[in-house]
Amino acid sequence: MTSTIASSVLSTMNSSSETSESSSSSADALQDEFLTLLTTQLQNQDPTDPLDNSEMVTQLAQISTISSIENVTTTLEGISGQISAAETLQASALVGNGVLIEGNSIQVADGVATTFGVTLGSDADSVTVTVKDSSGSVVATLDVGDMSAGTQALYWDGVQDDGSTAADGSYSFSVSASSDSTAVTATALKYALVTGVTTDSSSQLALDLGGVNDNVGLSDIKLVL
């Protein structure tokens, strides 16, 4: 699949270097203007009433401070631009890949169910997945057994408890986990396909999931399949 990166994302990457050059030029121009004014004042000062040295030193210090602040700003903008570029490259590498995000749906097509998953808050010695159809009826119960803390992918072969193959469509699932009969936090994860890279309403990097799911950020990806 061809990687899709929105033009707004590429524009953001290219603008970082232009912003840095603009800030640097602004600081240089400010220093040049001040030195020009200072030279003019010195050349035209009244010998009986020369410029106050302390005032001149204060002005020089102020200019130096402003220049330093602009240099720091330029450096931070450069770092921010590099981070944005790195995130864009990382996101574009996900295009065409399946990922797991928070959600509790499973899609079945031609008897094949999409991968799903779970994030456990701690180790569990008993994990059970309950699959329901669109009417809310339980169609399959999966005894996963023990699982370690963290995120793991899970699979359903599409076979229902009565031995028949699940019909095509959308199903929901829930995960219950425990350790020594004490409940363990379990967050359900659903499958999504990354189809492109774009930006959201706040101009933040976002992954396009093909319209089947809402766009998400990199931090929303719990596992890359």
Side-chain angles (χ1 to χ4, degrees):
M1 179 180 293
T2 302
S3 298
T4 303
I5 303 179
S7 58
S8 57
V9 176
L10 296 177
S11 176
T12 299
M13 293 175 64
N14 293 333
S15 65
S16 61
S17 60
E18 296 175 0
T19 301
S20 176
E21 292 176 1
S22 175
S23 298
S24 178
S25 298
S26 176
D28 292 341
L30 183 61
Q31 287 181 325
D32 290 343
E33 289 177 6
F34 176 77
L35 291 175
T36 299
L37 289 172
L38 179 60
T39 301
T40 301
Q41 283 183 307
L42 290 173
Q43 290 174 340
N44 296 280
Q45 66 178 328
D46 184 351
T48 63
D49 185 21
L51 291 175
D52 186 345
N53 288 336
S54 62
E55 181 180 353
M56 184 170 61
V57 170
T58 299
Q59 291 175 338
L60 284 170
Q62 290 174 339
I63 291 296
S64 178
T65 299
I66 294 174
S67 179
S68 297
I69 292 174
E70 289 200 354
N71 287 335
V72 170
T73 301
T74 299
T75 300
L76 292 177
E77 288 175 345
I79 293 174
S80 177
Q82 291 174 356
I83 292 175
S84 296
E87 288 181 342
T88 301
L89 291 175
Q90 181 182 359
S92 63
L94 293 176
V95 175
N97 287 293
V99 296
L100 294 182
I101 59 176
E102 288 193 15
N104 67 333
S105 62
I106 298 175
Q107 305 301 319
V108 175
D110 297 327
V112 178
T114 54
T115 303
F116 57 104
V118 63
T119 297
L120 296 181
S122 59
D123 294 347
D125 54 30
S126 176
V127 178
T128 302
V129 177
T130 302
V131 182
K132 298 180 180 181
D133 60 19
S134 57
S135 67
S137 299
V138 176
V139 297
T141 304
L142 312 178
D143 183 6
V144 181
D146 62 294
M147 288 181 64
S148 300
T151 299
Q152 296 187 47
L154 298 173
Y155 306 91
W156 175 39
D157 59 9
V159 177
Q160 303 181 110
D161 287 342
D162 62 7
S164 63
T165 299
D168 291 356
S170 180
Y171 295 77
S172 63
F173 72 96
S174 59
V175 182
S176 60
S178 62
S179 177
D180 293 330
S181 299
T182 300
V184 172
T185 301
T187 303
L189 306 174
K190 65 180 180 179
Y191 174 88
L193 178 66
V194 180
T195 60
V197 181
T198 184
T199 53
D200 59 20
S201 58
S202 302
S203 298
Q204 297 298 309
L205 190 70
L207 297 174
D208 186 346
L209 302 182
V212 178
N213 298 283
D214 293 334
N215 294 343
V216 299
L218 282 172
S219 61
D220 296 315
I221 303 301
K222 306 306 179 183
L223 187 68
V224 179
L225 301 174

